[in-house]
Every structure is written in C-alpha cells, then in structure tokens.
Amino acid sequence: MIKEFKEIYAYRQMIFSLVKKDLRGRYKGSVLGFMWTFVNPLLQLCVYTLVFSIIMRQNIEKYYLFLFVALIPWMFFSSALTSGSISILNQKDMVKKIYFPREVMPIADTTSNFVNMLFCFVVIFAVLLVSGWGVNLYACLALPVIMIVEYIICLGIALLTSALTVYFRDLQYILGIIAMAWQYVTPVMYSSERVPEELLPLWNLNPMTPVIEAYRSVLYYKTFPELNTLLSAFVLGVIVLVLGIIVFNKLEKGFAEEF
Amino acid sequence: MIDENNAIEVRNVSKHFKVYYDKGSQLKERVLFRKRNAYENRLVLNDISFSIKKGEAVGLVGKNGCGKSTTLKLLTKIIYPNSGTIEMCGRVSSLIELGAGFHPDMSGRENIYTNAAIFGLTKREIDARLDDIIAFSELEKFIDNPVRTYSSGMYMRLAFSVAINVNADILLIDEILAVGDANFQAKCFNKLREIKAEGTTIVIVSHSLGQIEQICDRSIWIKDGKIQMEGAPKDVHLEYLDYMNTERMELAEREKTRREAEGSEAAKKKKRYGSMDCKFTDIKLLDANGNEQKTFRTGEAMKLDLHYECHKKVTDAVFGFGIFRSDGLWCYGTNTRIDHKDNFDIERDGSYEVDLKELMLIPGEYWIDVTIEYGEGNPVDYYKEALRFEVVSKVSDVGVVRIPHEWTLNL
C-alpha cells in the first residue's frame, strides 16, 4: 500500500500535466476559450435568477443565491461521478500501451473537476459581494475543510466507478441517471428542513447532504458549519475512498485486456 | 526477494488469454445465446523463468506469436501473469509504444513534458533533460510548433528522444530501431550502446537478429510459450535459423504437393520442350550430406542429381543447367560444351551430377532449368523450372551473389 502511494507521488507530474491539459483543452477552439470557465456558471446563474424570481417564485430570500452556492459544489460531485467513471475508458489507448499507476487517471479527472470548481468559486464570491449579500470571512475558514471532504468523497467514487465501468460499460449511462436522481435526494434545490422526520436516518447516509449543507451555511447563512455533521461526512468519505482503493486495486490488473 | 545482482527475475510465469469465439457483451446476448460465450484459453506463456543481471542486454527471439511480445508487456506491467511472479529493480522505461499520450495541438516542448511525465519524471527532472531531449531529436527549429504539424518521422524522433533520455535502469524495446531515416537510426543505435555502457539493463524484442547480436550479451529463444534455448546470441540464432528453415522447408514441401495436385499434365508439358528422345525422369537437389534439400544457406554446397531415360540415340549431346531468380533474372547458366567437356552420345539410360561447391547466391527464391540438347542448342528435353529452391542467410547483404571479400580498415 505504502509502495503504491509512493509511486503515485512519483507520478505527480503526470497528474499535474493531465489536469492542465484537461482544463486548457476543455474549451479549446471556442472564441472565449478559457473564459468559459467563468462565463458558464455566470450564465447559469442568470437563468436560475430569471426562472426562480419571475416564474417559479420561492419563499426563500434570494433563492438564486441559496441555489447557486449549493449548485456549484454539486456540479463538482456530479461531474466527478459521470466523467470520473469513464476516465479509464477514455484513456484506453494509453492504458493498453504503456505503464503508469492506473490510479493516476481518476485522480487527475477528479482534480481537474475540483480545480474547475475552485474557478467557479471566484464567480460565487464575486456574485455574493456584488449582490450585497456579503461574506463572513471567519465562516469561510471552514471552506477548505469542506472542499477536502468533498474531494475525498468524489475521489473514492471516481476510483470505484472508473474501475467498474471498464468491465461493465452500461454503468456510464446508469450513472447519468443516478447523478440526476441523487441531486433530488440531496438538499441542493430545497432546504433539508423539508425532509420528513422519519426519513432522516436514511437521509444522513448520503455523504453529500452534510457537505452541501456546510457550503450553504458558510456562504448563504454566513455561519460556521456544524462540525459533527461535517465529521460524519468525512468518515463516510473515507469509507468510500477505502472501498474505492480496494476495488480499484483488485480490478486494475485486468484493464489492458478488457479493451 | 530479488537477488541484488539481478535487475529482472521472472519466476514460473504463465499467461493465457481468453479467446472468445463470439463474444456478446450485451445482456440480451448473454442470456439468449449462452453458448456464444464459449471461449478457449490460449496459453501464451507456459511456466517461463529467467533472470537478467544488472547491466545485461538480452534479446528475445522467436517466431510470430511465440509469446515474446507478451513477455515484454508483462515486464512493463501493462498486463499481469496468471501465475508466477515478476520482480524488477529500478525505473523502467519502455520503447514499446512511442509517443503514447502525445497531444497534437500542443507544441513539441509541451509534449516533452507530458510524455516524460508518463514515464514518472518530475518537472525538475524533465527540466534537467530538456536540452538533451531536444538536441537528440534534432527538432530545435520546430520544437515550439504544434505536434500535428510534424511529419511522422519527426513525431517518432521526438518520442524516441524522450523515451531514451528518461535515464531508466531498465529499458524495454520492441522492434523500435526502425525510427526515422538511416542517419537517425544509426544515432539511436549508438545511443543504445552508450546507455548500455552506462550500466542500463536492456531487453529487446526483435526480428532483426543482426541488431540483437550487435547489442546483446545473451539471447533467449522462446518457442510455443517456453524457453527453447538461451545463450550467446550467435549460438542461439544459428539454432533458431535452423529451426525456422526446417519449418519453412516443411511448408514449401506442403506447397509443392499442393501445386502438384493442382497442376495438370498439360501445364507440366508446357514447361518442357524438345524431341523427348531422351527425357529427365528423376531430378533432385542434394545438400553436402547427400540428403534431398530445398533450402540452402548462402555459401553451402549444392548438388544437382539428374537421372534420364533414353528412347532413341542422341548424338553430340550437351547437358546444361541454368539458375534463375524468382523474378526471372538469369543468375547463372552453363553446359558441358561451354565447360569444354568432350563430345559424347547418349545411347542408354543414365544420370549426371553437377556439384556446386559454394552456392554464393543472396537469400531469395530460385528455380533451375535443366537441359539435354544436341548440336548447337537443339532441345531434346529442355525442362523449364524443373526445380525450385530457397536460399537463406543470416547476413543481410544485398545484390545477386555474395562476392567473397575481406575488409582492411586503416583508421
């Protein structure tokens, strides 16, 4: 195990260059190019503002902010789930031809989605300040911790699904649906107060619920998040990650023969 | 544990691949046509063991499909053995798939970074090697252009330069010395020697036995997933060539019977001209030991053994033969008159032999015409393409015949 971590560390330059390649290549050929990283969430925000403040009015104050601060972290999770699952499959030519620790692929994919989220946070802060909602700097100290917890969950899931998808290709389509359904069982578009009491134990098994709520409490409610829910999210995340590593290690030796 | 003098230890490794007759991966197919999922386990490597010392250069030889490339893939850890263990010591670089991971839109320089990162180099290590890599590739002028603008030769040169400058402890090579033009190949070759002198362990898979002989200390001949022989390259290669020849002869024999079965008498007649007063009956090619043979090495002895029957007396007879290359080039021909044999008549059945002491033909396929004539070239039995044979050699000189020669170098 230690040996594998060391090897992945030795390949950090490869992860770094894959992330760079992905972020730069994402909007390659378009006129705005890298600017899309910022324009894209901004335009989304415009749409939500329009829809929810004119057509589907909500009785939550500045609902578009309520939604936006949760949606950006959620999009990191959902893209880690969908693009992470095909991270090995997409690089089959390399997997077939050369050796590198296979973990590099899901790690690079998750990291690239993570960095993309960080860029989106620039937009979030800009919107919070411009709209006059304001930012609580003290509460923001918790942000890195929340992000790390989310990263761990995403990485675990990406390791798990990327390995499984190699053997069972249908998974990539199934995960598209799962990502959509998952969004509705996570309080992204609504407040968790609306969850029925009797369903709560089940609700708390979803590691994304405390993560999204923590983001919202820092950015929307401007208060420090509840640490015990964050801790339970962290524990769930570590469990997912360990499971992901175990499954990945079991399956990775057969990757090259499956293509 | 691995012996500290060894760079690679392969112990009792077996590898088999599942070969599906008709694989259905969809649920419908899996459920409905269960039979189609039948597969065959093809054993590619069968309990193979060998070890390679640090700094040693080893060549893997064998015919197509014998398992040598699979061995190399196992060493690179792209695939894993079904049983047995492989232990390696040090950084491994492989020249198996050059340029994997190149991004066409990025410049040559950026691709050097990405590609070297795939070999596990850190940025600092790449920075240190960057100048060497660019210089070796001879692409200074183009290094900041996108790789998609490169010719395929330039592409390979860049890829090779990265792979060879990784400073690996173990270098695995699969048929790569076909990169770029002759000059660049020579350069690669020299670089390989340099790397070897620095103590890098090298494993090469190649069909070019000459290249292996020049670089390697040892050859391992893999046959049907097992090690058939290992030792000094020259010894192993001679045995290997011998085996390949026998195999080819068997093939040629089969081909011949097939052709004979096909060829009707009419087709045969067309190749024979003359009065047929005297006629070849049994014609053979013999090797030095008097055994019938269809494949010869350049420089070996060959004997034509020709029997004929006589129906009517032929006066002033002349025996002859001609050797033609498969494309029709007349390589050699002579007859008893040219060689100043006394005039003679044929009155009864008999035979003649031609002893070719050293067959100096360059490798290729040849056929022989044999003739009985009388007077000034009147055919009695002019038998075109009477015999076919093949010449093989492990020297890859070119032309028609090998002219015996010696080099004197005054350097």
Side-chain angles (χ1 to χ4, degrees), chain A residues 11 13 24 97 99 257, chain B residues 15 76 78 110 118 121:
Chain A
Y11 274 78
Q13 178 63 29
R24 281 178 51 184
K97 288 171 179 173
Y99 174 78
E257 287 169 61
Chain B
K15 178 75 194 169
T76 38
I78 294 172
E110 287 169 309
I118 292 173
L121 261 62

Side-chain angles (χ1 to χ4, degrees), chain B residues 5 7 9 24 56 65 104 115 118 122 136 185 206 323 381 391 405:
Chain B
N5 293 320
E9 276 183 18
E56 196 180 16
N115 201 233
I118 292 173
T122 60
F136 191 83
Q185 275 188 33
S206 180
I323 300 177
D381 183 3
V391 175
H405 58 276

Side-chain angles (χ1 to χ4, degrees), chain A residues 2 51 99 217 226:
Chain A
I2 304 272
V51 170
Y99 174 78
S217 87
E226 281 182 51

Side-chain angles (χ1 to χ4, degrees), chain A residues 152-213:
Chain A
I152 289 172
I153 298 171
C154 289
L155 182 60
I157 286 180
L159 283 168
L160 192 69
T161 55
S162 64
L164 289 173
T165 305
V166 172
Y167 295 88
F168 182 58
R169 309 276 163 99
D170 303 41
L171 198 60
Q172 52 183 308
Y173 310 112
I174 297 172
L175 283 171
I177 299 296
I178 289 182
M180 192 186 80
W182 203 328
Q183 181 175 352
Y184 288 104
V185 297
T186 309
V188 177
M189 307 184 82
Y190 53 86
S191 155
S192 57
E193 287 145 27
R194 294 172 66 166
V195 177
E197 191 87 25
E198 58 271 26
L199 279 178
L200 267 180
L202 202 64
W203 221 251
N204 290 334
L205 273 179
N206 175 5
M208 281 310 287
T209 303
V211 170
I212 293 295
E213 289 194 321

Side-chain angles (χ1 to χ4, degrees), chain A residues 39-50:
Chain A
V39 174
N40 202 17
L42 211 56
L43 289 178
Q44 282 191 15
L45 182 68
C46 290
V47 173
Y48 287 125
T49 314
L50 229 68

Side-chain angles (χ1 to χ4, degrees), chain B residues 184-213:
Chain B
F184 193 74
Q185 275 188 33
K187 196 169 162 185
C188 294
F189 218 77
N190 290 337
K191 180 76 184 177
L192 271 185
R193 290 208 178 138
E194 209 177 283
I195 284 176
K196 195 196 154 199
E198 284 164 10
T200 307
T201 310
I202 301 176
V203 183
I204 302 180
V205 163
S206 180
H207 287 290
S208 164
L209 302 177
Q211 285 180 346
I212 291 185
E213 278 164 25

Side-chain angles (χ1 to χ4, degrees), chain B residues 26-42:
Chain B
Q26 290 181 3
L27 186 65
K28 179 188 82 185
E29 290 164 357
R30 283 200 185 167
V31 176
L32 290 182
F33 314 110
R34 225 170 257 197
K35 267 189 203 154
R36 284 197 192 167
N37 290 308
Y39 59 82
E40 172 189 26
N41 258 334
R42 188 183 296 154

